[in-house]
Amino acid sequence: MFISVCTMEASDSEPLNTEPMDTETAPSTTRRRRKKSMVWEHFTVEVVSDGCTRACCKLCKQTFAYSNGSKVAGTSHLKRHIALGSCPKIKNLENQQLALASATRIDGDTSDPPKKRYRTSGFVNVFDQEESYMYLAKMIIVHEYPLHMVENPAFVCFVQSLQPRFKMIDVNAMEGEVLSVYHKEKQNLMQIFGTMLGRISLTIGLWTTSQTLGYICVSGQYIDGDWKLHRRMLNFMLVSSPHSENALSEAISVSLSEWNVKTKLFTITLDNNCSSHDIYSANLRDHLSNKNTLMLKGQLFVVRCYANILNVVAQDVIASIHGIVYNIRESVKFVKASPAREEKFAEIALQIGTPGAKALSLDVTTLWNTTYLMMEAALEYKEAFTFLETCDDNYNEAPSADDWKKVEVVCTFLKLLYDSANSIMTTIDQTANIFFQEAWKVQLELTNGTSSEDTVMSSIAKEMHEKFDKYWKDCSLVLAISVVMDPRFKMKLVEFSFAKLYGEDSGRYIEVVNDSIHELYLEYVSQPLQLMPAYVDRGEANHMNGNDNNPPATPNSTGDGLLDFDVYLSEMAVNQSTKSELDQYLEESLVPRIQGFDILDWWKLNNLKYPTLSKMARDVLAIPVSMVGTGCSIFGSGTGSRVLDDYRSSLRPETVEALFCAKDWLQYLPTMTVEPPSTAIVKLEL
């Protein structure tokens, strides 16, 4: 067997020992031969006693068995000592990648070697101190570790065990590394914004601290040139009074100027804690309008978060029956307190004929969806709970018949909100068009519920409708314009939905949407249109899409006697040229509603057909109707301001911003996957 090993030349290595072994120490029954293995560059043979010899490493002075009388141990273990880094001297050398640099054979004869087969036996890392600092900073950012972990003795020992040459830095230096990562990624994002084709829409959220200070989180959502939807955090700014009159306006102005997107602003989406008045009071809207940057005279400027309104309505209606919810929660606790009680309860349910398809579960009081699921499951066992109270003196928390009636009505309406939230969360790209149908269904059911003859249902519906109706009035225009940009629905879904919602008065509401979308389109027409090269080359397609305003004055006749037909075609071309892209789009038949339809991909494919309308669609579809991004739970977004923990509240504001923004940016980068380090491969020739 032949093995090729990478070795390192040590500065204190001795010349290759090519002399034969001492005849007194070599076994008398074997023929002396030259040592050909290059491991002998690193080992010497020492006589121990009684003809036994040991190999001594020239670097670390460790000794290894070599021969015992007539038995020779060989050199494989010596090779492993050098090649696999077992020698502590080699491990501590600066250039480990040269430790296995030369290849040789071990103890073979002089005949031709057999055919070689290679396999990887070991690796030598190329260590980079600065790169390690960068990855440590990214780890702290992404996993939200405290900066002072770099001074934790246990962590320092752990890192040293992995790479003894790594020099740990202190908290201040690590803070600098975090800021370095932040500034580098910010520059990359700035370049992307500089080449942005469409407009950007902002989301504004509030964070509070244990002090009187607060932070405003500004994020931007846009669709890039490849028709991919993106959302990125832009700023996480400290404000002394986050609920003051001008706080939001000042934060938005600073963010727009810092990112150089003031002329590209389209809409602003606010959570439940932000007041529209806070923006208008500082004349931000008027300031932007004066610069002709707001579309449709600012009618789409402020958008309310759909996830927030679902949470507000749900939590408020649950709070209105908090006493009943408490009884149900305590009832579930009682049954699930022991296996014996669960078994007894199951027997009761089976005995009275209400086995129930759902298992009882306790809720998390901060998540309304879990409370809904708890009530929904308990509702199936309402007779069992009533019977349990009559046969178990320890249980006295069963809701009354009237209570169960309220729970049933509340669950009916909560299911609307629950299903709507789940529908949004399961959508990968939360473009604005998906929200109209969800909001309209909720508005319709609550409206119908208010006119119910059932007093319990009407009273609960009125309470929920009061809050949701305000959201609908504020945002229905934005939602309607967004769904018109969906080729599966266009104006047809708006007409159908409004007819059910408004009845005989639907005409005037439909007209508002139709007029608004045409007015918005004309604003895009007035802007210079940068045609794609592929589109410029398609002269015939331009003519067909109504972009040729100068059709031929005289038809081209081919002498086939169809001159009248040519005149007819010319007149048709003139008539078609007067139709806008929007009208052509609206008049075309709807795209089939197939599963897996990708609206962004559709507009990407039809970008050449509708060059102006596609610009409008890009901006409209990018409106963040919900502030809760893909992959996040709508149910956990809550209704109150998010609170910054005490540790991060103690950091410098610029460090807090770097930690929050960099974490958001890094999650989208492929560079977070560390490439395998450079390696030197040990080849074993078998």
mmCIF file of all heavy atoms in Angstrom, residues 303-330:
data_model
loop_
_atom_site.group_PDB
_atom_site.id
_atom_site.type_symbol
_atom_site.label_atom_id
_atom_site.label_comp_id
_atom_site.label_asym_id
_atom_site.label_seq_id
_atom_site.Cartn_x
_atom_site.Cartn_y
_atom_site.Cartn_z
ATOM 1 N N VAL A 303 -52.260 54.344 4.423
ATOM 2 C CA VAL A 303 -52.932 53.041 4.401
ATOM 3 C C VAL A 303 -52.875 52.457 5.810
ATOM 4 O O VAL A 303 -51.860 52.585 6.505
ATOM 5 C CB VAL A 303 -52.251 52.082 3.401
ATOM 6 C CG1 VAL A 303 -52.977 50.736 3.352
ATOM 7 C CG2 VAL A 303 -52.201 52.710 2.014
ATOM 8 N N ARG A 304 -53.956 51.815 6.228
ATOM 9 C CA ARG A 304 -53.992 51.176 7.536
ATOM 10 C C ARG A 304 -53.606 49.705 7.421
ATOM 11 O O ARG A 304 -53.921 49.047 6.427
ATOM 12 C CB ARG A 304 -55.392 51.295 8.141
ATOM 13 C CG ARG A 304 -55.675 52.671 8.702
ATOM 14 C CD ARG A 304 -54.847 52.934 9.932
ATOM 15 N NE ARG A 304 -54.940 54.318 10.383
ATOM 16 C CZ ARG A 304 -54.242 54.796 11.407
ATOM 17 N NH1 ARG A 304 -53.402 54.020 12.048
ATOM 18 N NH2 ARG A 304 -54.370 56.045 11.767
ATOM 19 N N CYS A 305 -52.940 49.203 8.434
ATOM 20 C CA CYS A 305 -52.489 47.814 8.439
ATOM 21 C C CYS A 305 -53.669 46.864 8.630
ATOM 22 O O CYS A 305 -54.399 46.957 9.619
ATOM 23 C CB CYS A 305 -51.444 47.595 9.529
ATOM 24 S SG CYS A 305 -50.916 45.876 9.708
ATOM 25 N N TYR A 306 -53.832 45.947 7.694
ATOM 26 C CA TYR A 306 -54.942 44.995 7.753
ATOM 27 C C TYR A 306 -54.792 44.035 8.932
ATOM 28 O O TYR A 306 -55.779 43.681 9.590
ATOM 29 C CB TYR A 306 -55.022 44.214 6.442
ATOM 30 C CG TYR A 306 -56.206 43.281 6.359
ATOM 31 C CD1 TYR A 306 -57.499 43.781 6.285
ATOM 32 C CD2 TYR A 306 -56.033 41.905 6.364
ATOM 33 C CE1 TYR A 306 -58.601 42.930 6.215
ATOM 34 C CE2 TYR A 306 -57.124 41.043 6.287
ATOM 35 C CZ TYR A 306 -58.400 41.555 6.216
ATOM 36 O OH TYR A 306 -59.485 40.712 6.151
ATOM 37 N N ALA A 307 -53.573 43.601 9.200
ATOM 38 C CA ALA A 307 -53.345 42.687 10.325
ATOM 39 C C ALA A 307 -53.729 43.349 11.640
ATOM 40 O O ALA A 307 -54.308 42.706 12.531
ATOM 41 C CB ALA A 307 -51.884 42.248 10.364
ATOM 42 N N ASN A 308 -53.435 44.629 11.776
ATOM 43 C CA ASN A 308 -53.768 45.336 13.008
ATOM 44 C C ASN A 308 -55.273 45.425 13.236
ATOM 45 O O ASN A 308 -55.750 45.227 14.352
ATOM 46 C CB ASN A 308 -53.166 46.743 12.989
ATOM 47 C CG ASN A 308 -51.692 46.773 13.339
ATOM 48 O OD1 ASN A 308 -50.995 47.741 13.093
ATOM 49 N ND2 ASN A 308 -51.189 45.687 13.913
ATOM 50 N N ILE A 309 -56.022 45.707 12.163
ATOM 51 C CA ILE A 309 -57.469 45.849 12.350
ATOM 52 C C ILE A 309 -58.095 44.498 12.690
ATOM 53 O O ILE A 309 -59.037 44.418 13.493
ATOM 54 C CB ILE A 309 -58.139 46.470 11.103
ATOM 55 C CG1 ILE A 309 -59.590 46.845 11.415
ATOM 56 C CG2 ILE A 309 -58.070 45.548 9.920
ATOM 57 C CD1 ILE A 309 -59.743 47.861 12.525
ATOM 58 N N LEU A 310 -57.576 43.405 12.129
ATOM 59 C CA LEU A 310 -58.080 42.083 12.504
ATOM 60 C C LEU A 310 -57.855 41.832 13.991
ATOM 61 O O LEU A 310 -58.742 41.336 14.702
ATOM 62 C CB LEU A 310 -57.386 40.995 11.680
ATOM 63 C CG LEU A 310 -57.719 40.918 10.189
ATOM 64 C CD1 LEU A 310 -56.983 39.742 9.559
ATOM 65 C CD2 LEU A 310 -59.215 40.789 9.955
ATOM 66 N N ASN A 311 -56.667 42.170 14.475
ATOM 67 C CA ASN A 311 -56.353 41.959 15.887
ATOM 68 C C ASN A 311 -57.185 42.847 16.802
ATOM 69 O O ASN A 311 -57.651 42.409 17.857
ATOM 70 C CB ASN A 311 -54.862 42.202 16.129
ATOM 71 C CG ASN A 311 -54.004 41.089 15.576
ATOM 72 O OD1 ASN A 311 -54.399 39.935 15.570
ATOM 73 N ND2 ASN A 311 -52.833 41.428 15.086
ATOM 74 N N VAL A 312 -57.355 44.085 16.417
ATOM 75 C CA VAL A 312 -58.133 45.017 17.244
ATOM 76 C C VAL A 312 -59.572 44.536 17.387
ATOM 77 O O VAL A 312 -60.127 44.463 18.496
ATOM 78 C CB VAL A 312 -58.102 46.431 16.635
ATOM 79 C CG1 VAL A 312 -59.129 47.336 17.314
ATOM 80 C CG2 VAL A 312 -56.711 47.039 16.768
ATOM 81 N N VAL A 313 -60.186 44.194 16.259
ATOM 82 C CA VAL A 313 -61.583 43.755 16.290
ATOM 83 C C VAL A 313 -61.720 42.458 17.075
ATOM 84 O O VAL A 313 -62.632 42.306 17.902
ATOM 85 C CB VAL A 313 -62.110 43.578 14.849
ATOM 86 C CG1 VAL A 313 -63.513 42.978 14.872
ATOM 87 C CG2 VAL A 313 -62.126 44.914 14.124
ATOM 88 N N ALA A 314 -60.824 41.516 16.848
ATOM 89 C CA ALA A 314 -60.907 40.217 17.526
ATOM 90 C C ALA A 314 -60.704 40.357 19.030
ATOM 91 O O ALA A 314 -61.469 39.796 19.832
ATOM 92 C CB ALA A 314 -59.878 39.259 16.937
ATOM 93 N N GLN A 315 -59.682 41.080 19.430
ATOM 94 C CA GLN A 315 -59.389 41.210 20.853
ATOM 95 C C GLN A 315 -60.476 42.003 21.575
ATOM 96 O O GLN A 315 -60.788 41.719 22.738
ATOM 97 C CB GLN A 315 -58.018 41.860 21.037
ATOM 98 C CG GLN A 315 -56.878 40.965 20.583
ATOM 99 C CD GLN A 315 -55.518 41.605 20.746
ATOM 100 O OE1 GLN A 315 -55.397 42.719 21.257
ATOM 101 N NE2 GLN A 315 -54.487 40.910 20.296
ATOM 102 N N ASP A 316 -61.051 42.973 20.899
ATOM 103 C CA ASP A 316 -62.114 43.758 21.534
ATOM 104 C C ASP A 316 -63.369 42.924 21.766
ATOM 105 O O ASP A 316 -64.015 43.031 22.818
ATOM 106 C CB ASP A 316 -62.454 44.979 20.680
ATOM 107 C CG ASP A 316 -61.411 46.081 20.819
ATOM 108 O OD1 ASP A 316 -60.493 45.919 21.650
ATOM 109 O OD2 ASP A 316 -61.505 47.092 20.083
ATOM 110 N N VAL A 317 -63.723 42.090 20.798
ATOM 111 C CA VAL A 317 -64.932 41.285 20.976
ATOM 112 C C VAL A 317 -64.708 40.196 22.017
ATOM 113 O O VAL A 317 -65.629 39.840 22.768
ATOM 114 C CB VAL A 317 -65.401 40.683 19.631
ATOM 115 C CG1 VAL A 317 -64.489 39.554 19.176
ATOM 116 C CG2 VAL A 317 -66.846 40.189 19.734
ATOM 117 N N ILE A 318 -63.507 39.672 22.107
ATOM 118 C CA ILE A 318 -63.200 38.697 23.154
ATOM 119 C C ILE A 318 -63.247 39.367 24.528
ATOM 120 O O ILE A 318 -63.742 38.792 25.502
ATOM 121 C CB ILE A 318 -61.828 38.050 22.894
ATOM 122 C CG1 ILE A 318 -61.903 37.132 21.670
ATOM 123 C CG2 ILE A 318 -61.361 37.256 24.118
ATOM 124 C CD1 ILE A 318 -60.569 36.544 21.262
ATOM 125 N N ALA A 319 -62.732 40.601 24.576
ATOM 126 C CA ALA A 319 -62.760 41.328 25.850
ATOM 127 C C ALA A 319 -64.186 41.626 26.300
ATOM 128 O O ALA A 319 -64.464 41.714 27.506
ATOM 129 C CB ALA A 319 -61.967 42.627 25.722
ATOM 130 N N SER A 320 -65.094 41.761 25.340
ATOM 131 C CA SER A 320 -66.478 42.084 25.698
ATOM 132 C C SER A 320 -67.168 40.924 26.401
ATOM 133 O O SER A 320 -68.192 41.117 27.067
ATOM 134 C CB SER A 320 -67.266 42.477 24.446
ATOM 135 O OG SER A 320 -67.437 41.359 23.588
ATOM 136 N N ILE A 321 -66.650 39.705 26.269
ATOM 137 C CA ILE A 321 -67.225 38.547 26.973
ATOM 138 C C ILE A 321 -66.145 37.903 27.852
ATOM 139 O O ILE A 321 -66.090 36.664 27.976
ATOM 140 C CB ILE A 321 -67.783 37.512 25.963
ATOM 141 C CG1 ILE A 321 -66.687 37.026 24.997
ATOM 142 C CG2 ILE A 321 -68.957 38.085 25.194
ATOM 143 C CD1 ILE A 321 -67.107 35.811 24.178
ATOM 144 N N HIS A 322 -65.305 38.737 28.434
ATOM 145 C CA HIS A 322 -64.157 38.225 29.186
ATOM 146 C C HIS A 322 -64.581 37.309 30.338
ATOM 147 O O HIS A 322 -63.867 36.357 30.682
ATOM 148 C CB HIS A 322 -63.318 39.395 29.716
ATOM 149 C CG HIS A 322 -64.030 40.252 30.721
ATOM 150 N ND1 HIS A 322 -63.982 40.026 32.078
ATOM 151 C CD2 HIS A 322 -64.813 41.354 30.560
ATOM 152 C CE1 HIS A 322 -64.703 40.929 32.700
ATOM 153 N NE2 HIS A 322 -65.216 41.758 31.811
ATOM 154 N N GLY A 323 -65.739 37.578 30.940
ATOM 155 C CA GLY A 323 -66.198 36.720 32.029
ATOM 156 C C GLY A 323 -66.509 35.312 31.551
ATOM 157 O O GLY A 323 -66.160 34.318 32.205
ATOM 158 N N ILE A 324 -67.145 35.223 30.390
ATOM 159 C CA ILE A 324 -67.469 33.908 29.832
ATOM 160 C C ILE A 324 -66.192 33.183 29.410
ATOM 161 O O ILE A 324 -66.041 31.979 29.625
ATOM 162 C CB ILE A 324 -68.426 34.056 28.634
ATOM 163 C CG1 ILE A 324 -69.690 34.804 29.054
ATOM 164 C CG2 ILE A 324 -68.768 32.707 28.043
ATOM 165 C CD1 ILE A 324 -70.632 35.120 27.895
ATOM 166 N N VAL A 325 -65.272 33.938 28.834
ATOM 167 C CA VAL A 325 -63.990 33.343 28.419
ATOM 168 C C VAL A 325 -63.248 32.799 29.631
ATOM 169 O O VAL A 325 -62.646 31.711 29.576
ATOM 170 C CB VAL A 325 -63.130 34.385 27.673
ATOM 171 C CG1 VAL A 325 -61.734 33.825 27.382
ATOM 172 C CG2 VAL A 325 -63.809 34.814 26.383
ATOM 173 N N TYR A 326 -63.322 33.528 30.733
ATOM 174 C CA TYR A 326 -62.670 33.055 31.964
ATOM 175 C C TYR A 326 -63.269 31.729 32.418
ATOM 176 O O TYR A 326 -62.543 30.797 32.801
ATOM 177 C CB TYR A 326 -62.813 34.115 33.066
ATOM 178 C CG TYR A 326 -62.315 33.651 34.419
ATOM 179 C CD1 TYR A 326 -60.958 33.693 34.734
ATOM 180 C CD2 TYR A 326 -63.216 33.156 35.376
ATOM 181 C CE1 TYR A 326 -60.511 33.262 35.973
ATOM 182 C CE2 TYR A 326 -62.778 32.715 36.610
ATOM 183 C CZ TYR A 326 -61.416 32.770 36.905
ATOM 184 O OH TYR A 326 -60.959 32.319 38.131
ATOM 185 N N ASN A 327 -64.596 31.632 32.403
ATOM 186 C CA ASN A 327 -65.249 30.390 32.818
ATOM 187 C C ASN A 327 -64.858 29.217 31.920
ATOM 188 O O ASN A 327 -64.638 28.100 32.393
ATOM 189 C CB ASN A 327 -66.767 30.562 32.803
ATOM 190 C CG ASN A 327 -67.266 31.414 33.958
ATOM 191 O OD1 ASN A 327 -66.560 31.611 34.944
ATOM 192 N ND2 ASN A 327 -68.478 31.938 33.831
ATOM 193 N N ILE A 328 -64.783 29.471 30.620
ATOM 194 C CA ILE A 328 -64.387 28.398 29.693
ATOM 195 C C ILE A 328 -62.947 27.979 29.954
ATOM 196 O O ILE A 328 -62.621 26.782 29.969
ATOM 197 C CB ILE A 328 -64.571 28.867 28.235
ATOM 198 C CG1 ILE A 328 -66.052 29.056 27.931
ATOM 199 C CG2 ILE A 328 -63.934 27.881 27.265
ATOM 200 C CD1 ILE A 328 -66.330 29.600 26.546
ATOM 201 N N ARG A 329 -62.089 28.943 30.166
ATOM 202 C CA ARG A 329 -60.675 28.640 30.433
ATOM 203 C C ARG A 329 -60.531 27.805 31.704
ATOM 204 O O ARG A 329 -59.785 26.820 31.739
ATOM 205 C CB ARG A 329 -59.876 29.937 30.532
ATOM 206 C CG ARG A 329 -58.370 29.724 30.654
ATOM 207 C CD ARG A 329 -57.631 31.049 30.750
ATOM 208 N NE ARG A 329 -57.775 31.831 29.542
ATOM 209 C CZ ARG A 329 -58.316 33.044 29.490
ATOM 210 N NH1 ARG A 329 -58.800 33.592 30.608
ATOM 211 N NH2 ARG A 329 -58.392 33.700 28.351
ATOM 212 N N GLU A 330 -61.244 28.200 32.756
ATOM 213 C CA GLU A 330 -61.184 27.449 34.009
ATOM 214 C C GLU A 330 -61.808 26.055 33.861
ATOM 215 O O GLU A 330 -61.337 25.091 34.481
ATOM 216 C CB GLU A 330 -61.904 28.227 35.120
ATOM 217 C CG GLU A 330 -61.209 29.513 35.522
ATOM 218 C CD GLU A 330 -59.791 29.275 36.016
ATOM 219 O OE1 GLU A 330 -59.608 28.349 36.848
ATOM 220 O OE2 GLU A 330 -58.875 29.991 35.568
#
